Amino acid sequence: MTDVDYCVVGGGFAGLTAALRLKQAGRSVALLEARDRLGGRTFTEVRDDGTWIDRGGAWIGPGQDRIYALMDEFGVPSYKQYTDGEAMMVVDGKQHRYTGTIPWTMSPWAAMNLGAVFVELGQMCKSVPIEAPWAAKDADEWDKITLADWLDSNVLSKPAYELLDTAIAGCYTSAASEVSLLFVLYQMASGGGPGFVLGVKDAAQDARPVGGMGAIYRPMAAQIGDSIRLSQPVRHIDQDANGVTVRSDGMTVHARRVIVAVPLAIASQIRYDPMLPVDRSFLHQRMPSGSIFKISVVYDEPFWRRDGLSGQSAKPGSPATVTIDACTNTARPGVLCVITEGPIAREIGQLDEAERRKAILGELVERFGDKAGSPVDYIEQNWSVERYSGGGMLSHAPTGVLTEFGHALRKPCGRIHWAGTESSAAMCGWVDGAIRSGERAAIEVMEHETATVA
Ligand SMILES: Cc1cc2nc3c(=O)[nH]c(=O)nc-3n(C[C@H](O)[C@H](O)[C@H](O)COP(=O)(O)OP(=O)(O)OC[C@H]3O[C@@H](n4cnc5c(N)ncnc54)[C@H](O)[C@@H]3O)c2cc1C
């Protein structure tokens, strides 16, 4: 039995931030992490040649002030995402190379349709209060329909539909028919609108920390020190008037309060005694994650840059749905990141690794030429089968969930407080949101001390 002021469950960015801020405030903490590594949905692997590969969350953007503050705290610089050259869209078997946001060569009608939808989504997002999206004027109407329902009524051009379906539903790593329109609008608003979510330059993929996300979470962990216990999946959380008792496979921790910082999609795997209030418990059952493969294909050099390409490409329905340049700040070796999301990720998950590699490299050759077929390394991460993530990138709300259960997202349940990117009003779904949630939860538990003393 370990006795501490506070227990934190989960060593992703939310849990690490909560533990760090509590330690810095002089409190004793135990952080129990299920895996044998930290970082959660971020995972930076350092190869023998020193190249680092982010197998999960990687990019940062303007407005993500809390991650930038943490990087300043630990002396981690950032570098800009490579965006020179042309991006590529493959629609109806035809390649379109373009600069800017919209591939105008596709067809004027499709391009206009795309542009109009962006404007419309941006307007709708503006009316969603991120602290309480269920209070938006049209919340009830928008929470009754899925993203697919809305696209069906608003996107008339087939190529525009396919691109929007890939781009927007892709963010939720699910089919458009699975996700509530209100949730989509809320999550976009939480980052500042569709331009931020879907963009690269000056948007969500604007930059990266030098050294990857691990360059941030490793020094955080070093400062938290031996309060971190790895390979401790928490199974039970009991609470009573004296505090909480948190039991993992190998430890029991007694604390005043606990911060649970695990994805909503798997929060119900912990047994809570007494049972959680119905709305919180049902929220856990109703916010699933989607499927995502992130594949890093490593070459001697980023050859696509010499060919005038940025490395960004999209082909709806393909096993390599989107690609983006993922080189480190030294630009050597060349790293091309392939992201495959939603139904296609589940489909390629059925293939064995050799078949999948063949399919992915075939797609890259089609887009980037023969050189793309001979990488020096190929590293894939299937987040859909990660037991302690429950999928990726984030848990989303199907129809009816935000309006019925959203109010329970951050509300503590007695001595149990909730962190995790899904509980952050701002930057929900990003690492920055996770950090914000950890900082909020740390303040929340300490505010109870003041209340008790008063
Ligand atoms: C492929 C991919 C790409 C992404 N790209 C980006 C990006 O470019 N930029 C960006 O900002 N975000 C990105 N994200 C999202 C980002 O990674 C997440 O928002 C963020 O990492 C979530 O942090 P968290 O602390 O809330 O949750 P997590 O990182 O999921 O941390 C939860 C932790 O809890 C642990 N845990 C689970 N159950 C238990 C238990 N019972 N007991 C103890 N521990 C438990 C887990 O092992 C994990 O370490 C991406 C995610 C994925 C998967």
Side-chain angles (χ1 to χ4, degrees), residues 9-15 32-35 37-42 55-60 64 204-205 213 232-235 261-263 266 270 292 294 339 383 388-389 391-393 420-422 429-432 434 437:
V9 181
F13 266 94
L32 305 187
E33 163 56 47
R35 290 172 162 110
R37 66 165 183 88
L38 294 167
R41 281 172 274 176
T42 64
R55 301 173 72 129
W59 280 272
I60 53 180
Q64 298 195 327
Q205 275 80 234
M213 289 293 174
Q232 297 299 333
V234 167
R235 308 291 184 195
V262 309
I266 54 166
I270 299 172
I292 179 165
K294 182 169 182 184
I339 305 232
W383 287 93
Y388 295 113
S389 295
M393 299 185 274
T421 191
E422 287 85 359
W430 287 277
V431 174
D432 182 83
S437 76

Side-chain angles (χ1 to χ4, degrees), residues 166-167 169-171 173-174 291-293 321-322 339-345 393:
T166 299
C171 295
T173 58
S174 300
S291 301
I292 179 165
F293 268 90
T321 321
V322 296
I339 305 232
T340 306
E341 297 151 326
I344 308 165
M393 299 185 274

Side-chain angles (χ1 to χ4, degrees), residues 360-419:
I360 300 280
L361 292 184
E363 291 288 338
L364 297 185
V365 167
E366 205 179 87
R367 278 173 242 177
F368 299 102
D370 287 344
K371 281 183 225 134
S374 313
V376 293
D377 209 349
Y378 173 96
I379 300 156
E380 58 173 40
Q381 182 79 24
N382 181 2
W383 287 93
S384 325
V385 294
E386 286 285 317
R387 185 186 301 278
Y388 295 113
S389 295
M393 299 185 274
L394 71 159
S395 307
H396 68 261
T399 52
V401 175
L402 272 187
T403 42
E404 291 293 331
F405 303 96
H407 67 89
L409 270 168
R410 286 180 287 282
K411 193 167 164 195
C413 299
R415 292 174 180 272
I416 305 176
H417 297 252
W418 307 102

